[in-house]
Amino acid sequence: TNASGDIPFVAAFDPLHSGILYAASGARIARSVDGGTSWQELRAASTLPNWSPTALIADPNRPENILAATNGSGTQQFTIAPDLSLSVTAPPSPVAVGTAATYNYTMSNRGPFDATGVRVSVQLPATAQTISATASGGVCTVASGVAACTFEIARVGVNYAIAVSAISPATGP
């Protein structure tokens, strides 16, 4: 049951991410991105037209699209599309040659839904050396001059800090 005391009678799993679940009861549809520990309402029961889902499925080719077979309203599709933003703060300029420069990024989920599988990639100049990247709530890798940070779940209203550092061996961008 959820916080409203509803007992779901329709359930579905994301075909690509086993921890993402969908459930419906009455006209309400909810999603969990953490295996059922917490739930987010995708469609309130009071939303018109009133759907009464009889089946749910996440599109296997586009799992952000949810299809709901309804009683009396046909098949309905809706898309889970969180609003993500990325901002950057550059180090003071100029940066001395041979000194590490750190760029601080902030990735934010402005809603209305939790985001999953978020990836932030930063391409550095070919001459950059000693590249490192860290992220709060995420995992970063560096390969071929690209710092890539992945966030399994980016919750609504949360800011995630990413720091990318590199040393420039010569004058240039």
Side-chain angles (χ1 to χ4, degrees), residues 9-171:
F9 59 87
V10 176
F13 297 88
D14 184 303
L16 301 178
H17 304 89
S18 61
I20 300 177
L21 314 171
Y22 299 92
S25 60
R28 181 184 324 269
I29 299 174
R31 174 179 80 144
S32 173
V33 295
D34 54 18
T37 301
S38 63
W39 290 87
Q40 212 174 23
E41 190 170 64
L42 299 178
R43 189 169 197 281
S46 60
T47 304
L48 295 176
N50 191 347
W51 298 353
S52 183
T54 56
L56 293 173
I57 187 171
D59 184 331
N61 297 316
R62 293 185 181 94
E64 69 277 8
N65 291 334
I66 308 305
L67 302 169
T70 68
N71 186 7
S73 294
T75 300
Q76 302 291 327
Q77 175 182 310
F78 59 98
T79 301
I80 298 169
D83 182 9
L84 303 176
S85 69
L86 184 67
S87 62
V88 63
T89 303
S93 190
V95 175
V97 171
T99 303
T102 301
Y103 287 79
N104 293 299
Y105 295 82
T106 302
M107 189 271 296
S108 303
N109 182 349
R110 302 182 337 188
F113 308 116
D114 290 339
T116 57
V118 176
R119 181 179 163 105
V120 176
S121 296
V122 177
Q123 175 71 56
L124 287 106
T127 58
Q129 297 177 347
T130 318
I131 301 168
S132 67
T134 59
S136 64
V139 175
C140 298
T141 59
V142 176
S144 302
V146 176
C149 300
T150 305
F151 301 84
E152 187 177 328
I153 301 171
R155 300 283 183 184
V156 172
V158 176
N159 295 327
Y160 298 87
I162 303 167
V164 177
S165 282
I167 294 175
S168 178
T171 302

Side-chain angles (χ1 to χ4, degrees), residues 1-8 25 28:
T1 60
N2 60 23
S4 302
D6 296 336
I7 297 173
S25 60
R28 181 184 324 269

